[in-house]
Amino acid sequence: YLAQACSSTNPIERLNAVIGIETSRKAGFGDNLAGLLNDQTPAIRLHALRAADANPETRLVDTIAGLLRDPMLEIGQEACGYLSHQERPDRTPFYLALTRDADPNVRMYSLAIASWINRYAASDEVFREALRLLKDPNEHVRASALHALYRMRDKEVPRADLLPFLSSPESRSE
């Protein structure tokens, strides 16, 4: 019944179906989830993503990477979490390319993913990109860059790149 309801024209039926898949945590719904991850209803996309997280499938990775651009912030955050846990270091160049995206959330998420999937062996490319993003105009991207650099403890960050983060707003106005 769940698989059939995923194709319903009624969004409430699709939502109930994907919540049923998410709750059951059973494998075998990859084809259904692939379609629901692109559904026009945000709640359906969100629950499809959570259901995919319960039973990860490599074939869903590219579709989920597309959700980093989702207008609903929670979906982008969930996609970032999924990809951080399911991706491999050999996909680092894909995420580093996304750090040049016009959307600050995509830049933030892609750096977080790239740094996490390289957490056991710090990547020089990720390090350089994190240094570059310390100067990003968006404060959330800068915070993500700082966090990525913190994760790479064996790399030395130039003092000049860190000084802007060490001064207080009061000291800048004097």
Side-chain angles (χ1 to χ4, degrees):
Y1 169 78
L2 291 176
Q4 184 180 4
C6 287
S7 302
S8 172
T9 56
N10 182 332
I12 306 262
E13 285 182 21
R14 291 194 313 277
L15 180 60
N16 287 334
V18 76
I19 289 172
I21 293 169
E22 178 186 356
T23 307
S24 74
R25 303 183 69 86
K26 290 183 181 171
F29 290 100
D31 290 335
N32 303 102
L33 293 176
L36 294 171
L37 286 166
N38 291 311
D39 199 278
Q40 64 188 26
T41 307
I44 294 172
R45 290 193 307 275
L46 179 63
H47 286 283
L49 184 51
R50 289 177 176 165
D53 200 27
N55 289 293
E57 291 191 31
T58 3
R59 65 186 171 133
L60 298 177
V61 166
D62 289 332
T63 302
I64 292 171
L67 293 176
L68 293 173
R69 285 186 170 73
D70 198 280
M72 189 172 153
L73 192 59
E74 190 176 3
I75 292 174
Q77 291 168 345
E78 291 273 340
C80 179
Y82 177 94
L83 295 165
S84 292
H85 293 103
Q86 302 306 322
E87 280 288 37
R88 306 167 320 275
D90 65 322
R91 294 260 299 168
T92 300
F94 172 78
Y95 292 101
L96 291 180
L98 288 177
T99 63
R100 303 211 177 249
D101 196 274
D103 183 338
N105 287 328
V106 173
R107 293 194 305 273
M108 177 181 62
Y109 298 147
S110 58
L111 180 61
I113 295 164
S115 68
W116 183 257
I117 63 179
N118 287 282
R119 67 191 174 278
Y120 298 119
S123 157
D124 289 337
E125 295 83 14
V126 175
F127 180 74
R128 283 192 299 277
E129 198 57 22
L131 283 176
R132 184 185 73 78
L133 290 174
L134 279 178
K135 296 169 180 73
D136 193 273
N138 183 281
E139 69 179 295
H140 299 292
V141 175
R142 291 191 307 269
S144 181
L146 198 58
H147 190 258
L149 290 167
Y150 175 76
R151 190 175 286 133
M152 294 181 253
R153 292 189 178 112
D154 60 336
K155 301 276 189 189
E156 190 167 325
V157 179
R159 187 173 191 268
D161 289 329
L162 291 177
L163 283 177
F165 295 94
L166 300 176
S167 63
S168 67
E170 296 81 36
S171 67
R172 281 187 235 138
S173 62
E174 294 174 0

